[in-house]
Amino acid sequence: MKSITRRTFGGGMFGVLVATGLRPTSLQAQTPQDLIAREGVLQLAPANYPETQVWGYSGAVPGPTIRLPQGGRMTRRFVNELPQPGTIHWHGIRIDNAMDGVPGLTQDVVEPGETFLYDFVLPDAGTYWYHPHNRSYEQMARGLSGALIVEEADGGPEVDSDEVLLLDDWRLTEDAQIAGGFGNMHDWAHAGRIGNWITVNGTGDWRTTVQRHSRHRLRLVNTANARIFSLEAQGLEGWLIALDGMPLDAPQSLGRLTLAPAQRADIIVDVTASVGEEALLVNFERDGGYAIASFDVTAVARSERLDAPSPLPPNPVPQLGPLQTARTAKLLMEGGAMGRMDGAMMGGQMMGMREMAGAGKVWAFNGMADMPDAPLVAANRGETVRIDITNDTAWPHAMHLHGHHFRQIADDGTAGALRDTLLMDRGETAQIAFVADNPGDWLLHCHMLEHSAGGMMTWLRVV
Ligand code: C2O
Ligand code: CU
């Protein structure tokens, strides 16, 4: 098939190619697929409740899972069919800055009825996700998010299945609709919008059938606005192999797994429950646990468990330089209910907490409740940057850095796993370090979405 023929026949050629069973690959490559944000309905609550009206990519919750090879390109035309402006952020991708999806920092919002072409390279294999970055405290509470899976070049570890599990938390009304009150300052000053209904991949009853001694890769993603999951596997034994997309140096045996908003964990589990039993993923709250995913064991895959898996191949993230000479910054997190902050700078003025709350801000970074004009750090490309973070609030926070993965540095100087989102407990201090190798302006914010909208947001510049 010569390309001249295609041009001559245009659209009509599609039919011919499909009819002869050939895939029009070069045409597909030239016409990016659409990723349409629009309204949809689904049975989110149990069957005796009405369907829920949601906002979703393709109208679905979760949105379509995008799977692409490492080193490949992600090309999608975002079409905004929602009644609000939006953008898409590709969480955890060490992305070209212009594609990062942050309104006012890396692009303009995409108005209703408009489009934006996202087109970027995927440098790292792993589990990533996409979500709006405009009014995300509302748009994500209404359902907008999806998984972006970047496949390892070697095909990944040997497993019987590879499942993406997006964990979400919804605040539903009695007739199973998304509750309003997105700007509720009580939520904003406390733990954020905590819901009353947990789903996995858009259902409250996620289940699958498995076989004893079968092996599964589970890619867990916390897409909730604010809820922290605390997970345990029962009838499944295995290893934690990656965090926030990035492979661990060595698989760690799986115990209790804390997953803060936006965090991911890749685990490999073998089914150890017997035929007729049910293996479970259980979420623990203060007052007990409940299953969020069930695996019915219906047969035996093999008589023994497989050998322990090897580590995933590392991603090409640069090694940290010496921390003594690193460029450093301090970040003080303040505010919220039961904190000791009495005011912060807003609109160039010092404001008291009550006035701030009236203007929709209840938190501050380094005494500023607005997105600051100046970056927290301006680094030269390739420099190692160290940020000392103090959580001087009465709440946990999930601190997310765009465009880079960092390591937490322990008091004795040892560097932890690569992450893009760090859960910090109330009163905790943490030191993070990373190589600022990705030029552009990058957000650093709390991923409890009510907290970032309420003032927990700053940015870094890499030149
Ligand atoms: Cu997933 Cu700035 O966020
Ligand atoms: Cu927070």
Side-chain angles (χ1 to χ4, degrees):
M1 200 77 58
K2 287 186 194 117
S3 59
I4 184 97
T5 320
R6 280 180 201 162
R7 251 182 252 128
T8 312
F9 287 91
M13 212 51 208
F14 252 103
V16 176
L17 288 170
V18 171
T20 55
L22 292 170
R23 303 202 126 249
T25 44
S26 69
L27 285 178
Q28 278 180 341
Q30 284 158 20
T31 318
Q33 291 178 44
D34 285 346
L35 190 55
I36 306 173
R38 59 176 171 81
E39 290 169 0
V41 282
L42 84 152
Q43 193 66 44
L44 199 63
N48 54 327
Y49 283 86
E51 290 185 319
T52 305
Q53 252 157 327
V54 298
W55 290 2
Y57 298 104
S58 297
V61 174
T65 295
I66 302 175
R67 275 188 187 261
L68 290 164
Q70 181 174 18
R73 289 192 90 86
M74 199 320 295
T75 308
R76 290 286 187 287
R77 191 175 71 134
F78 167 47
V79 182
N80 185 9
E81 290 186 359
L82 291 172
Q84 276 179 13
T87 61
I88 303 180
H89 170 60
W90 307 89
H91 185 116
I93 303 292
R94 297 188 302 128
I95 200 168
D96 172 2
N97 191 245
M99 296 288 124
D100 199 38
V102 181
L105 195 68
T106 69
Q107 71 169 91
D108 293 331
V109 286
V110 181
E111 296 292 340
E114 310 257 275
T115 66
F116 186 90
L117 182 67
Y118 288 101
D119 181 19
F120 52 88
V121 172
L122 300 159
D124 303 314
T127 301
Y128 303 94
W129 64 299
Y130 59 95
H131 64 74
H133 220 294
N134 187 51
R135 283 183 72 84
S136 46
Y137 59 88
E138 172 177 357
Q139 297 191 1
M140 288 168 69
R142 290 185 183 278
L144 285 164
S145 62
L148 171 54
I149 305 303
V150 186
E151 312 265 12
E152 288 87 19
D154 67 357
E158 259 196 64
V159 289
D160 296 304
S161 84
D162 179 331
E163 310 266 7
V164 182
L165 302 183
L166 294 121
L167 282 48
D168 209 346
D169 174 33
W170 305 78
R171 190 182 289 181
L172 298 181
T173 61
E174 275 172 22
D175 57 351
Q177 299 311 305
I178 312 275
F182 300 106
N184 179 328
M185 278 300 132
H186 184 272
D187 288 342
W188 287 36
H190 290 75
R193 181 179 163 109
I194 301 293
N196 52 11
W197 184 240
I198 308 285
T199 61
V200 170
N201 294 348
T203 169
D205 184 28
W206 189 91
R207 54 177 60 242
T208 189
T209 56
V210 293
Q211 301 184 336
R212 181 170 160 81
H213 294 156
S214 59
R215 172 165 288 185
H216 308 273
R217 179 178 188 167
L218 306 180
R219 302 169 181 264
L220 309 172
V221 186
N222 182 351
T223 66
N225 278 38
R227 184 183 290 271
I228 301 166
F229 289 94
S230 185
L231 304 168
E232 251 179 50
Q234 297 181 355
L236 303 167
E237 283 175 34
W239 302 264
L240 176 64
I241 56 166
L243 286 169
D244 295 349
M246 293 293 173
L248 300 182
D249 296 338
Q252 283 170 19
S253 113
L254 189 62
R256 179 74 68 99
L257 191 64
T258 303
L259 212 58
Q263 288 186 328
R264 285 89 66 214
D266 283 43
I267 62 177
I268 286 186
V269 289
D270 296 338
V271 177
T272 52
S274 303
V275 175
E277 290 181 346
E278 197 180 46
L280 300 170
L281 210 54
V282 178
N283 184 42
F284 283 89
E285 310 270 351
R286 237 168 312 179
D287 45 357
Y290 50 89
I292 61 162
S294 312
F295 305 79
D296 298 316
V297 189
T298 56
V300 178
R302 46 187 77 88
S303 59
E304 312 235 339
R305 287 179 63 182
L306 298 171
D307 293 338
S310 320
L312 295 169
N315 283 321
V317 179
Q319 297 287 319
L320 290 176
L323 294 176
Q324 297 76 8
T325 54
R327 187 176 290 271
T328 59
K330 279 196 186 330
L331 182 62
L332 177 65
M333 308 161 69
E334 289 180 295
M338 296 174 281
R340 46 185 176 184
M341 183 174 88
D342 25 65
M345 290 296 284
M346 261 193 82
Q349 272 188 325
M350 193 62 196
M351 281 199 191
M353 276 296 263
R354 183 182 292 259
E355 253 181 308
M356 280 176 65
K361 301 285 170 182
V362 278
W363 306 92
F365 278 173
N366 290 349
M368 287 271 295
D370 286 328
M371 176 85 159
D373 291 334
L376 175 74
V377 188
N380 295 321
R381 190 174 183 177
E383 251 181 335
T384 295
V385 174
R386 201 186 83 193
I387 307 176
D388 296 315
I389 310 176
T390 301
N391 176 7
D392 189 16
T393 79
W395 303 92
H397 300 287
M399 294 298 288
H400 170 49
L401 174 63
H402 283 216
H404 301 79
H405 275 66
F406 54 79
R407 294 181 191 272
Q408 185 174 2
I409 308 297
D411 289 341
D412 67 1
T414 50
L418 283 167
R419 300 218 70 148
D420 62 42
T421 307
L422 177 71
L423 180 60
M424 291 186 65
D425 217 339
R426 61 204 73 178
E428 190 181 340
T429 60
Q431 197 179 99
I432 62 168
F434 60 97
V435 179
D437 65 335
N438 198 355
D441 293 344
W442 302 105
L443 283 186
L444 172 62
H445 66 91
C446 177
H447 218 288
M448 277 106 173
L449 304 172
E450 293 71 26
H451 293 174
S452 53
M456 294 200 134
M457 190 166 314
T458 187
W459 61 288
L460 281 66
R461 174 164 284 170
V462 181
V463 286

